[in-house]
């Protein structure tokens, strides 16, 4: 509502996951969240809808610059409240400013329009009568509920699409790591680059947030499947039916093709290691299952193990540390529980489930899980490896017989995911794998020897490409260039006199 408001109780404690020291508190107690949503709808909404795409894009560019200017402070917040290494914090923060800038440029390229044309006008009768589909901003507020693992990127990627589409935002970060999200919003507020009501921030428990949604709102949620279910079944959500987008769990898979050349094989090893250890494996897109031909398993264990061996785990502030702790005590407890379930049907082939060397950490302190590589004992009967997402530095090798049919059948048992990646040079295999995976995933990454040296690890969500996946992954769709705006837009068919409509819809 155009001002910072403090909660009226002690709130939830936010800890440094390396030292377990208290670093901040977050509270929404006593805040009138319903009034904040009304303010966003009534003040932020009209301001944005009056702007052209180029003007909205300029807001995003200014947000991006404001965040970049506070980069060092935000990196420090990521270290003390999420256990981020410098590299992990940069991945989140630069992902935020980069995505905002991507959508800023998209806005600039759309120019002076306020509505987007959706395809060509259809002739519906005689010479003059036409129907033109347009995409208009929805008149409500975009309610963004984010997961703890990307406090900066999660907020920014959703906000970029909503604001460019013309909808104001109420954003709620995951509480455990909310410090960086708060720092980001502080940076934008201090830079004074947004009209009132466009970006609103609720830091702490969601409390009655969903009790105030209207039909015209969008609720975009990222988090666990159980919370997603609660949101889908929320009485007010069922009653007024806002547009709902869910990004949830995913057991992403990487598939190594038998004939992969050396460059492709090295890329597979490099990516698997990166996906296990970047952000301590706390990425929704991280590889959880790696399908490897039976006769290559030992080689893969040795090569990934060699990289894991070199990955120093410990206090992110200590020299040489490449992987920090999990973000919170509850994340550590949930990872331990998941590891125990995986071990019912998979053996640990690299790592120490209950220990491992830590650098710069006081004995017994911190929410640490060292990397673990497992191998499924009997992939045909295994269930947990396809069902349980251990949100940490853990992946399971799944041996397969070298055929695309059996590898894709195993991957499909994940029941819908964000991303699958395939590493190989055998074209018939790759073709069959793409067909066997595309219907089950939001993104399929194909790496062959010709792109292996510049391929991006599959866990990197790009603003150009869709982020989201079917089934277990929630069925949501975000990003993907202009496609990312459609969640926040109403498609409307405008019917009438063709030449007149063409003039009316200009600008
Ligand atoms: P979470 O516990 O489900 O929480 C997600 C968000 O929902 C948090 O902001 C949380 O607030 C909020 N929330 C909890 N209960 C709510 C309620 N009743 N009404 C409204 N909001 C509520 O998930 P998380 O532990 O933060 O994140 C980890 C999970 O997110 C993993 O499963 C991961 O796969 C998934 N994830 C998916 C994607 C994707 O794009 N598909 C991306 C990142 C993460 P509090 O923090 O205050 O409880």
């Amino acid at each position: 509502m155009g001002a910072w408001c403090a909660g009226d109780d002690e709130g939830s404690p936010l800890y440094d996951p390396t030292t377990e020291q208290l670093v901040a508190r977050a509270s929404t107690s006593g805040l009138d969240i319903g009034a904040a949503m009304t303010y966003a709808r009534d003040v932020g909404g009209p301001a944005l809808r009056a702007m052209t795409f180029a003007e909205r894009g300029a807001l995003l560019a200014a947000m991006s610059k404001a965040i970049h200017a506070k980069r060092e402070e935000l990196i420090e917040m990521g270290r003390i409240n999420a256990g981020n290494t410098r590299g992990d914090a940069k991945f989140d923060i630069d992902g935020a400013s980069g995505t905002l800038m991507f959508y800023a440029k998209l806005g600039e390229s759309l120019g002076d329009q306020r509505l987007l044309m959706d395809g060509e006008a259809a002739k519906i009768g005689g010479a003059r009568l036409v129907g033109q589909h347009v995409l208009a901003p929805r008149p409500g507020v975009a309610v963004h509920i984010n997961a703890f693992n990307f406090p900066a990127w999660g907020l920014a990627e959703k906000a970029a699409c909503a604001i460019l589409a013309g909808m104001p935002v109420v954003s709620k970060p995951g509480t455990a790591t909310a410090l960086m999200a708060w720092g980001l919003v502080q940076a934008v507020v201090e830079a004074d680059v947004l009209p009132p009501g466009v970006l609103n921030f609720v830091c702490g428990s969601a409390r009655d947030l969903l009790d105030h949604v209207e039909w015209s709102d969008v609720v975009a949620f990222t988090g666990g499947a159980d919370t997603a279910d609660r949101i889908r079944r929320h009485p007010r959500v069922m009653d007024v039916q806002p547009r709902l987008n869910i990004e949830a769990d995913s057991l992403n898979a990487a598939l190594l093709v038998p004939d992969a050349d050396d460059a492709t094989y090295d890329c597979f090893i490099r990516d698997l290691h990166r996906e296990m250890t970047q952000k301590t494996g706390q990425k929704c897109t991280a590889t959880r299952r790696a399908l490897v031909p039976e006769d290559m398993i030992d080689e893969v264990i040795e090569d990934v193990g060699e990289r894991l061996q070199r990955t120093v785990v410990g206090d992110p502030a200590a020299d040489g540390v490449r992987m920090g702790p999990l973000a919170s005590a509850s994340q550590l407890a949930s990872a331990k529980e998941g590891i125990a379930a995986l071990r019912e049907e998979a053996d640990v082939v690299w790592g120490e489930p209950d220990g491992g060397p830590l650098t710069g950490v006081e004995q017994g302190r911190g929410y640490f899980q060292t990397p673990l590589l497992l191998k499924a004992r009997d992939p045909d009967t295994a269930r947990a490896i396809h069902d349980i997402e251990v949100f940490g530095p853990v992946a399971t090798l799944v041996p397969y017989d070298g055929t695309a049919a059996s590898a894709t059948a195993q991957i499909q048992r994940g029941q819908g995911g964000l991303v699958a990646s395939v590493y190989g040079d055998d074209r018939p295999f790759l073709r069959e794998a793409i067909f066997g995976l595309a219907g089950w995933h939001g993104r399929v990454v194909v790496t062959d020897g010709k792109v292996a040296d510049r391929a991006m690890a599959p866990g990197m969500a790009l603003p150009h490409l869709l982020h989201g996946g079917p089934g277990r992954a929630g069925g949501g769709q975000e990003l993907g260039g202009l496609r990312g705006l459609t969640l926040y837009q109403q498609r409307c068919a405008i019917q009438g006199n063709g030449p007149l409509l063409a003039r009316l819809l200009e600008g």
Side-chain angles (χ1 to χ4, degrees):
M1 297 172 70
W4 286 103
C5 310
D8 64 11
D9 70 356
E10 262 211 326
S12 316
L14 276 57
Y15 294 105
D16 179 334
T18 306
T19 61
E20 301 182 31
Q21 277 170 359
L22 182 76
V23 293
R25 290 183 174 278
S27 170
T28 52
S29 172
L31 301 192
D32 190 345
I33 298 179
M37 288 166 71
T38 303
Y39 182 80
R41 276 187 216 103
D42 292 353
V43 178
L48 277 177
R49 289 196 294 276
M51 289 180 169
T52 65
F53 279 99
E55 288 166 338
R56 293 178 209 148
L59 299 182
L60 301 183
M63 280 176 77
S64 171
K65 286 180 191 152
I67 292 165
H68 188 70
K70 291 279 166 139
R71 188 173 185 247
E72 288 303 319
E73 286 161 54
L74 295 173
I75 289 173
E76 181 60 6
M77 289 178 184
R79 183 182 73 76
I80 63 170
N81 179 218
N84 289 167
T85 61
R86 189 173 169 80
D88 287 345
K90 283 198 294 187
F91 188 61
D92 192 4
I93 298 157
D94 295 348
S97 50
T99 304
L100 284 161
M101 197 50 90
F102 172 89
Y103 277 99
K105 295 210 166 104
L106 198 56
E108 190 183 349
S109 73
L110 294 170
D112 290 340
Q113 317 171 60
R114 289 188 301 155
L115 291 173
L116 271 190
M117 299 304 118
D118 180 28
E120 299 287 313
K123 291 207 165 82
I124 55 175
R128 273 190 170 266
L129 274 187
V130 302
Q132 170 69 55
H133 289 91
V134 300
L135 295 162
R138 285 171 70 87
V141 58
V143 177
H144 292 163
I145 302 174
N146 282 312
F148 77 87
N149 59 334
F150 278 100
W153 178 82
L155 187 155
E157 60 98 10
K158 283 187 171 63
C161 292
I163 292 173
L164 188 58
M167 280 192 88
V169 171
V170 169
S171 190
K172 185 202 126 33
T175 301
T177 60
L179 190 64
M180 189 198 279
W182 172 80
L184 182 151
V185 176
Q186 281 274 9
V188 173
V189 170
E190 278 169 20
D192 195 17
V193 290
L194 294 179
V198 167
L199 180 64
N200 307 274
F201 184 63
V202 176
C203 194
S205 162
R207 281 187 33 249
D208 56 342
L209 177 70
L210 293 174
D211 293 340
H212 305 287
V213 291
E214 301 288 350
W215 69 269
S216 53
D217 297 341
V218 173
V219 177
F221 167 82
T222 297
D226 293 346
T227 318
D229 272 350
R230 279 206 295 283
I231 289 176
R232 281 194 187 98
R233 292 172 214 274
H234 188 282
R236 178 75 184 172
V237 169
M238 296 213 297
D239 189 20
V240 302
Q241 303 268 326
R243 197 174 276 173
L244 191 55
N245 194 75
I246 303 281
E247 303 281 5
D249 306 355
S250 176
L251 285 130
N252 312 296
L255 164 56
L256 179 63
V257 179
D259 83 320
D261 72 12
D262 287 353
T264 311
Y265 175 82
D266 289 347
C267 186
F268 169 79
I269 298 290
R270 201 166 60 232
D271 284 357
L272 181 54
H273 168 261
R274 175 184 290 257
E275 293 304 326
M276 287 179 69
T277 55
Q278 188 174 45
K279 298 214 86 195
T280 318
Q282 299 166 108
K283 290 191 306 185
C284 51
T285 48
T287 302
R288 308 292 176 197
R289 301 173 292 158
L291 282 281
V292 175
E294 279 150 2
D295 59 355
M296 294 176 79
I297 283 274
D298 291 342
E299 189 186 350
V300 166
I301 295 171
E302 192 179 329
D303 292 337
V304 178
E306 196 260 325
R307 281 180 172 264
L308 291 172
Q309 186 73 42
R310 283 190 274 127
T311 307
V312 180
V313 184
D315 180 345
D319 269 356
V321 166
R322 289 283 168 272
M323 195 184 101
L326 293 172
S328 65
S330 71
Q331 284 304 314
L332 179 61
S334 141
K336 293 276 184 211
E337 203 179 299
I339 291 167
L342 295 185
R343 290 179 72 190
E344 296 281 313
E345 50 190 51
D347 298 315
V348 174
V349 290
W350 199 95
E352 297 175 49
D354 300 311
L358 298 176
T359 296
V361 179
E362 195 184 319
Q363 180 73 24
R365 285 262 164 215
Y367 312 132
F368 286 92
Q369 172 63 58
T370 52
L372 274 191
L373 191 61
L374 297 100
K375 181 185 147 199
R377 262 174 241 134
D378 179 359
D380 292 331
T381 57
R383 294 194 63 87
I385 59 165
H386 302 294
D387 275 344
I388 296 177
E389 180 200 43
V390 176
F391 214 57
V394 180
T396 304
L397 300 175
V398 184
Y400 77 99
D401 64 9
T403 66
S406 75
T408 51
Q410 286 287 353
I411 295 174
Q412 289 165 4
R413 292 174 66 198
Q415 297 179 57
L418 294 173
V419 57
S421 46
V422 191
Y423 300 79
D425 298 88
D426 171 344
R427 287 186 187 183
F429 188 116
L430 292 177
R431 184 175 294 120
E432 198 178 336
I434 290 172
F435 280 109
L437 297 174
W440 278 258
H441 294 87
R443 188 158 55 89
V444 174
V445 181
V446 182
T447 301
D448 73 340
K450 293 219 168 79
V451 295
D453 61 338
R454 74 201 81 136
M456 288 176 200
M460 181 141 174
L462 296 165
H464 322 63
L465 304 180
L466 179 73
H467 176 64
R472 181 195 301 279
Q477 301 199 7
E478 292 182 337
L479 301 174
L482 263 186
R483 294 172 191 84
L485 273 55
T486 49
L487 177 62
Y488 305 100
Q489 292 169 320
Q490 176 60 41
R491 178 173 284 116
C492 176
I494 314 264
Q495 210 173 313
N497 170 356
L500 173 65
L501 288 189
R503 275 197 299 281
L504 296 178
L505 294 176
E506 265 172 24

